[in-house]
Amino acid sequence: MADNPTVEFALRMGDNCLVLGQNVSAWCGHAPVLEEDIALANVALDLIGQTRMWLGLAGELEGKGRSADDLAFLRDVREFRNCLLVEQPNSDFGQTLMRQFLFDAWHHPMLKMLSGAADARVAEIAEKSVKEAAYHLDRSTDLIIRLGDGSDESHHRMQGALDRLWRYSGELMAADAIDEAVVGPGLGDIEAQYKDYTSKVFGEATLTIPEAAFMQKGGKVGLHTEALGHMLADMQFLQRSYPGAQW
Amino acid sequence: MAALATHLSIKEIWSWLEDVPDPEIPVISVVELGIVRDVSLDGAAIVVTVTPTYSGCPATAVIAMDIEQAIRKHGIDEVRIETQLSPAWTTDWITESAREKLNAYGIAPPEKGAACAGALRTRTRIKCPLCGSANTECISQFGSTPCKAHYRCKDCLEPFDYFKSF
């Protein structure tokens, strides 16, 4: 697979969307208020739509005849290329929201940059997705500030979520040769934008970024936390037990 | 039958597509929505190029099927639907006539050139489609379908959908 960096890169982008989309969709019918239930379902739907484009591209370029569905339902945990952040469990609404914000604050500038990628097929998927990601970032920013700078309880929960999840944010920006081959120079700009944006928002939300946190990584090369296997067991059950089942 | 296609004018095919309603918002057609990007002939086949609204919109598959059926209804056997991602669909492509129809249907039409640029956290004033007041507020940027936001009118107190700028 390493022969073509675009295949691996499309898997990373697609798996991020797939794993986050699947996790977020589990909130459908369980969110604290109706408007959030609808918003979570909509965000999940956008992410699954983006998954189809990225994994469709990965499957096509790979040339082994695997469809987006094959890649989603028939790969095992070590073959997934998503970052560790998106596979962290939903836990409470605060953790779900913090995970979303830490992702959106990277996803939006990344897609913006990819809209000008040298590979036209990467660029057109990014051009389509960036418009959706803008709305995701708009919502998660708004809620982080409202809940961070909210009641004692909501502040406490948001700070707890940030303390727990911040250590997974570094992997988003930790670029390797594959990222560099597809994105080109400019990856450093995304890191600068991310730091600038998140510290501005957390400041407004009266939340404190943990100092000297060790950044966890491994997801991009297939080394995942325990949570991903559990999620895949649930998501892939039908295709594993009834191969090729359709409706 | 297939030979029929070669005698058709492209304009005629466009007019058939003007009768294909959006499955979620049946008062406007897929042409008015701006998602039909091209109609062409490839030998005996009619090729319709469609661009998706939102990448995960469940209506996309239904729209492709409806377009195919609308053309087959006129006796054409060979129809091909192609998907085009770029340039990405924008609500600025929604026609003027469709904007009026949306408003009459109770959905505030999208503001032009006001697509969310990410983290703006500013809300444009949207006119209530029921009473016309601009004294409205955004409840949520996410509504009953991916393309709609949820608003409330502070004068007539009715909730309404806003076809959000995209």
Side-chain angles (χ1 to χ4, degrees), chain A residues 35-107:
Chain A
E35 287 76 10
E36 273 310 303
D37 207 293
I38 293 168
L40 286 159
N42 268 297
V43 169
L45 188 65
D46 286 343
L47 290 169
I48 298 300
Q50 294 173 20
T51 303
R52 205 163 45 187
M53 296 192 284
W54 286 118
L55 295 188
L57 176 64
E60 208 178 314
L61 295 178
E62 181 195 48
K64 293 182 189 164
R66 292 201 285 183
S67 67
D69 278 342
D70 293 337
L71 289 169
F73 295 120
L74 301 174
R75 277 179 304 153
D76 211 344
V77 64
R78 289 292 292 271
E79 294 163 274
F80 273 75
R81 294 291 179 261
N82 57 280
C83 60
L84 300 177
L85 174 71
V86 295
E87 70 196 38
Q88 297 312 304
N90 285 346
S91 188
D92 66 10
F93 184 67
Q95 304 246 2
T96 290
L97 200 58
M98 185 58 73
R99 182 184 62 195
Q100 188 72 42
F101 174 71
L102 292 174
F103 180 75
D104 293 342
W106 166 80
H107 199 210

Side-chain angles (χ1 to χ4, degrees), chain A residues 38 42 127-128 131-132 135 197, chain B residues 52-53 55 86 89 119 143 165:
Chain A
I38 293 168
N42 268 297
E127 182 194 344
K128 181 80 207 150
K131 301 174 76 154
E132 295 165 358
Y135 276 104
Y197 186 76
Chain B
T53 51
S55 62
S86 179
W89 178 75
S165 294

Side-chain angles (χ1 to χ4, degrees), chain A residues 169-191:
Chain A
S169 64
E171 189 183 16
L172 293 163
M173 267 85 51
D176 61 12
I178 287 160
D179 298 310
E180 277 157 17
V182 180
V183 191
L187 278 161
D189 293 352
I190 292 175
E191 187 166 7

Side-chain angles (χ1 to χ4, degrees), chain A residues 35 38-39 42-43 45-46 49-50 52-53 108 124-125 127-128 131-132 134-135 138-139 141-142 145 197 204, chain B residues 52-56 58 85-90 116-121 123 139 141-143 145-146 164-166:
Chain A
E35 287 76 10
I38 293 168
N42 268 297
V43 169
L45 188 65
D46 286 343
Q50 294 173 20
R52 205 163 45 187
M53 296 192 284
H108 184 254
E124 64 178 22
I125 295 174
E127 182 194 344
K128 181 80 207 150
K131 301 174 76 154
E132 295 165 358
Y135 276 104
D138 191 55
R139 164 178 168 268
T141 299
D142 184 46
I145 294 170
Y197 186 76
E204 223 179 307
Chain B
T53 51
Y54 283 73
S55 62
L85 290 180
S86 179
W89 178 75
T90 162
C116 178
L120 278 181
R121 291 188 289 119
R123 305 276 182 263
I139 304 296
Q141 292 276 42
F142 296 87
T145 64
K164 66 191 180 201
S165 294
F166 189 71

Side-chain angles (χ1 to χ4, degrees), chain B:
Chain B
M1 287 292 259
L4 250 180
T6 52
H7 301 296
L8 284 166
S9 74
I10 297 289
K11 214 174 144 194
E12 208 170 342
I13 303 166
W14 274 100
S15 75
W16 299 344
L17 299 180
E18 275 159 24
D19 293 332
V20 179
D22 175 278
E24 300 272 6
I25 311 164
V27 289
I28 61 172
S29 77
V30 293
V31 174
E32 288 175 305
L33 188 60
I35 59 171
V36 180
R37 303 313 300 159
D38 190 44
V39 176
S40 61
L41 294 175
D42 178 14
I46 294 176
V47 183
V48 181
T49 306
V50 178
T51 193
T53 51
Y54 283 73
S55 62
C57 184
T60 309
V62 180
I63 288 170
M65 211 163 66
D66 288 350
I67 288 176
E68 201 179 318
Q69 272 177 359
I71 295 173
R72 283 182 192 275
K73 211 173 65 187
H74 289 85
I76 313 293
D77 292 331
E78 281 188 69
V79 185
R80 211 164 68 228
I81 312 290
E82 288 186 355
T83 305
Q84 179 185 307
L85 290 180
S86 179
W89 178 75
T90 162
T91 46
D92 292 354
W93 292 345
I94 295 177
T95 62
E96 282 309 319
S97 61
R99 285 166 198 271
E100 283 163 29
K101 287 181 201 169
L102 282 171
N103 202 60
Y105 190 61
I107 301 171
E111 293 278 295
K112 277 197 177 173
C116 178
L120 278 181
R121 291 188 289 119
T122 50
R123 305 276 182 263
T124 38
R125 284 285 169 140
I126 304 303
K127 266 194 188 166
C128 170
L130 303 163
C131 75
S133 164
N135 185 21
T136 60
E137 64 179 343
C138 178
I139 304 296
S140 171
Q141 292 276 42
F142 296 87
S144 54
T145 64
C147 57
K148 291 187 219 116
H150 195 187
Y151 272 70
R152 171 165 56 204
C153 177
K154 293 201 273 191
D155 281 339
C156 74
L157 304 179
E158 289 290 335
F160 65 91
D161 278 334
Y162 167 53
F163 199 124
K164 66 191 180 201
S165 294
F166 189 71

